[in-house]
Amino acid sequence: MFNPQHVAGEGIGPSPIRLRALSLGAGVQSTTMARMAAHGEIGPMPDCAIFADTGWEPKAVYDHLDWLMSPSVLPFPIHIVSAGNIRDQLLGAGQGNRWASVPAFTRTVTPAGTEMPVFDEDADGEVIAIGTRRTTKETVSIGMIRRQCTTEFKIVPIRRKVRELAGLTRGWSHGISRDGELLAVVATDTLIRERVAGLSRHDAIELSRICAVEPGLCRVALRLWRMFVFPGLCAERGCRWAVSYQDAALHKGDLYRFDGWIRIGQSRSGTDPRSGRPGRRKVIWGWCDDPEERRRRSRGLADQPERLGLTAGAGRLAHFPFSIGER
């Protein structure tokens, strides 16, 4: 269920947003919770239930969902959301399209006589290949690939619907203040374009603006945002990356470079329809909490940056504000 935290106002009172949403999978457990809530055996009563449809559920699930949505079964509405058809996406992976990996088991067979490298350490302790050998018998390796489907087909669509029902619009801004004076602001938003440097709106958010009363404070604001705010946004939205644009003509990119961000692409904004001024060249920077993933993406995209368009985004006050000040 979704329970917003309390906010300070005239004294300490509950948040004006009151929304309790039950994540309904139409299975035994969620159906039991929904029916018990409907009969007052557990509480508080949900305001609604949300069913995330993968597009490839068993027929029994859809039949059961139809029954739950029929009159006189539940006293609250059921909303159905979807991020597409997971079966179609899995089949599209065979044509090289992006797909959300499922926790499927893999089986790798290495035939007898296969040439395999032999590794050892050099004088500096680095692991290097020193030769090869041939296997004497067939070996079978079993493993499981990483799970992404739950986040993309369940968590993200449900969170998006919760924000819609709660009246939360897109865009978040976070500030550093001292004695009531705003010193620096970091504004973030969902990706304006569908994809940026190979990342989709499910993968990343966009850091759209950093400004401060003194230039040196921008670096402080960015570091605090990255360390304390960005993890919360990732947890809420199910993403892992942040991207930001640097004007190639006006700035050197040191703000991002010194904070560990990596260059993941280039773009050029379109012509301004009001002034007719041509767009400027941008460098796209990216940040992910996993340093190995940052290194892999940096090596993979350094020579072939994508060229994408850019539009400006609007921001508003978020529910991850932070402030620094004297007490």
Side-chain angles (χ1 to χ4, degrees):
M1 293 187 183
F2 176 73
N3 268 314
Q5 297 183 357
H6 288 57
V7 296
E10 295 291 333
I12 302 296
S15 167
I17 300 174
R18 306 298 298 170
L19 178 67
R20 294 183 177 89
L22 171 65
S23 176
L24 182 70
V28 174
Q29 295 175 340
S30 60
T31 296
T32 300
M33 289 182 62
R35 294 285 285 165
M36 290 179 70
H39 289 274
E41 296 182 26
I42 60 173
M45 177 78 73
D47 296 303
C48 65
I50 304 176
F51 175 79
D53 184 9
T54 65
W56 197 28
E57 300 292 339
K59 182 178 182 299
V61 171
Y62 291 117
D63 291 342
H64 184 65
L65 180 64
D66 290 339
W67 174 75
L68 287 173
M69 298 179 68
S70 61
S72 304
V73 176
L74 297 176
F76 46 85
I78 297 177
H79 301 283
I80 299 178
V81 297
S82 178
N85 189 295
I86 191 172
R87 180 179 184 274
D88 292 344
Q89 192 182 87
L90 288 173
L91 293 175
Q95 282 72 51
N97 298 329
R98 183 191 176 278
W99 62 294
S101 59
V102 298
F105 285 92
T106 61
R107 182 174 182 268
T108 303
V109 178
T110 304
T114 301
E115 189 174 24
M116 304 287 289
V118 177
F119 297 98
D120 200 354
E121 293 185 357
D122 62 11
D124 298 323
E126 296 291 333
V127 178
I128 60 173
I130 60 172
T132 61
R133 66 178 180 86
R134 292 191 178 275
T135 57
T136 58
K137 62 180 181 178
E138 179 181 279
T139 58
V140 179
S141 302
I142 303 295
M144 188 174 74
I145 61 178
R146 185 168 63 116
R147 178 199 297 262
Q148 293 175 306
C149 55
T150 300
T151 296
E152 297 199 13
F153 284 90
K154 293 288 185 178
I155 297 174
V156 171
I158 289 175
R159 284 177 173 165
R160 186 180 296 119
K161 187 64 178 180
V162 166
R163 292 182 64 84
E164 174 191 326
L165 294 172
L168 301 175
T169 57
R170 58 200 299 269
W172 321 271
S173 59
H174 316 89
I176 298 177
S177 60
R178 179 179 183 274
D179 295 334
E181 178 188 2
L182 190 62
L183 302 179
V185 172
V186 178
T188 54
D189 208 338
T190 54
L191 293 186
I192 304 302
R193 297 185 63 87
E194 186 69 31
R195 297 187 71 83
V196 172
L199 298 170
S200 72
R201 291 171 181 163
H202 298 305
D203 304 321
I205 60 174
E206 185 171 306
L207 197 157
S208 53
R209 189 177 300 266
I210 309 174
C211 54
V213 294
E214 296 180 7
L217 282 179
C218 288
R219 188 176 298 177
V220 176
L222 178 61
R223 175 62 61 88
L224 290 173
W225 177 87
R226 178 176 63 75
M227 293 180 64
F228 299 106
V229 181
F230 177 59
L233 291 174
C234 285
E236 181 193 1
R237 301 186 61 79
C239 60
R240 302 187 62 208
W241 280 85
V243 299
S244 191
Y245 294 88
Q246 166 226 331
D247 190 303
L250 299 178
H251 306 288
K252 298 179 179 179
D254 291 344
L255 177 66
Y256 304 100
R257 185 179 297 108
F258 292 149
D259 196 49
W261 292 56
I262 60 170
R263 292 178 54 151
I264 60 175
Q266 300 181 46
S267 74
R268 181 176 292 277
S269 53
T271 302
D272 190 320
R274 295 168 297 181
S275 64
R277 182 181 303 167
R280 303 181 71 92
R281 189 172 67 85
K282 308 285 183 177
V283 176
I284 305 174
W285 294 84
W287 168 266
C288 173
D289 283 333
D290 185 345
E292 181 59 32
E293 186 169 347
R294 291 202 308 273
R295 283 193 290 269
R296 288 198 303 268
R297 180 167 286 272
S298 178
R299 291 194 296 266
L301 296 182
D303 298 329
Q304 295 180 341
E306 295 191 22
R307 306 192 65 83
L308 303 166
L310 171 69
T311 56
R316 70 170 189 85
L317 193 62
H319 44 276
F320 293 106
F322 64 90
S323 62
I324 297 178
E326 298 179 353
R327 294 186 178 272

